[in-house]
């Protein structure tokens, strides 16, 4: 399964979420990830993300597609956040 | 065409980008939008976004799908940023 994952979490939790998501998916922008993942791994990721997130403030959106070829991706501007340099 | 749009722009340009994108798409999270849009309207949006963005710092990712039903969306936590309240 191909997924696009976007999170919006409080500043204090950004680093943790980033490290978690990078274990499972490819990082493409500040808080945006994509990649192939199994149902089992995605479930694991959601459980772990739930432990980090504060439900009343944070959010996580996952778009799932059975096949990546159904989606066309276009990137305008800089391809990845420079956050990487100080993590 | 159904699109998911995610931007990552400098703080000073967030408000402008948000207002621009809301004219074309549905706002679902801090910097995430989705919706049905024509090629012509999307082109218009990209031109206008390009005028706001600083290419060396900012980025915009657009995922396009011919059909929304190819994508499953799951939202965990809060559904929308509270930014709306002070815009």
């Amino acid at each position: 399964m191909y997924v696009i994952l976007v999170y919006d979490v409080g500043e204090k939790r950004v680093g943790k979420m980033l490290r978690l998501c990078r274990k499972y998916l490819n990082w493409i922008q500040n808080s945006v990830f994509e990649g192939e993942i199994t149902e089992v791994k995605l479930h694991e990721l959601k459980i772990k993300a739930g432990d980090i997130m504060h439900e009343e403030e944070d959010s996580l959106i996952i778009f799932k597609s059975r096949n990546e070829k159904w989606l066309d991706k276009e990137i305008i501007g800089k391809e990845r956040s420079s956050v990487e340099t100080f993590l």
Side-chain angles (χ1 to χ4, degrees), chain A residues 1-51:
Chain A
M1 174 174 54
Y2 170 78
V3 305
I4 298 164
L5 180 152
V6 191
Y7 60 71
D8 177 22
V9 301
E11 224 182 309
K12 286 182 183 169
R13 298 177 290 283
V14 166
K16 270 192 184 171
M17 277 297 270
L18 181 61
R19 281 189 294 275
L20 171 67
C21 295
R22 287 177 76 183
K23 284 185 196 153
Y24 293 85
L25 296 164
N26 306 312
W27 189 25
I28 52 168
Q29 199 201 57
N30 209 0
S31 55
V32 188
F33 297 78
E34 64 162 2
E36 276 296 327
I37 191 166
T38 62
E39 278 286 358
V40 172
K41 283 285 169 190
L42 182 60
H43 184 72
E44 196 180 289
L45 170 56
K46 286 193 285 187
I47 301 271
K48 289 183 183 173
D51 289 344

Side-chain angles (χ1 to χ4, degrees), chain A residues 41-87:
Chain A
K41 283 285 169 190
L42 182 60
H43 184 72
E44 196 180 289
L45 170 56
K46 286 193 285 187
I47 301 271
K48 289 183 183 173
D51 289 344
I52 295 170
M53 292 166 66
H54 289 190
E55 205 162 317
E56 65 296 343
E57 289 173 63
D58 302 340
S59 80
L60 179 69
I61 304 180
I62 299 167
F63 296 94
K64 303 180 216 176
S65 172
R66 258 169 298 155
N67 201 323
E68 185 176 351
K69 73 166 190 244
W70 288 338
L71 276 180
D72 239 9
K73 183 176 63 183
E74 185 178 352
I75 300 182
I76 298 164
K78 212 171 114 286
E79 191 142 341
R80 192 188 291 157
S81 162
S82 51
V83 172
E84 195 167 33
T85 56
F86 56 82
L87 280 175

